[in-house]
Amino acid sequence: WDRYNYMLHDYVATDIADVAAPLGGMTLGVWVVDHTPPIVTVVGSAALDHETLQVTLQLNEPGTLWCAAADLDTATGLANCRGSDFQDVDATGAP
């Protein structure tokens, strides 16, 4: 079962202050470089109408997901970007 990971805005917006006893989750600096990619879990999806698809995704670590509609590379008369137009590696070339 997927477990929803909700954090209250008050916690996320509060400065850590003391690393040994953090008061919140906000930090202005990165302490450790993270080389492991996050795990994305599809929590649910539903067609809301003939034009709208709602997808709920969850990361196993704090982060932001960015999604965009893409047509297949073989499609003609494109209304969106092609799938190959999207970057699937980070700026350093790591997948």
Side-chain angles (χ1 to χ4, degrees):
W1 293 90
D2 296 324
R3 191 183 85 196
Y4 293 101
N5 184 15
Y6 292 110
M7 287 188 242
L8 297 175
H9 179 71
D10 292 344
Y11 175 80
V12 175
T14 302
D15 190 26
I16 289 176
D18 179 7
V19 221
L23 301 174
M26 186 176 78
T27 180
L28 299 177
V30 176
W31 300 334
V32 177
V33 178
D34 184 1
H35 291 287
T36 58
I39 296 172
V40 180
T41 302
V42 178
V43 177
S45 62
L48 301 182
D49 59 39
H50 71 283
E51 294 181 329
T52 308
L53 178 66
Q54 178 179 327
V55 180
T56 304
L57 303 171
Q58 180 176 329
L59 294 171
N60 68 331
E61 59 185 44
T64 301
L65 288 169
W66 181 81
C67 300
D71 285 318
L72 297 174
D73 288 336
T74 56
T76 58
L78 298 177
N80 302 303
C81 298
R82 292 180 189 263
S84 61
D85 293 338
F86 292 96
Q87 176 180 334
D88 61 356
V89 295
D90 68 21
T92 65

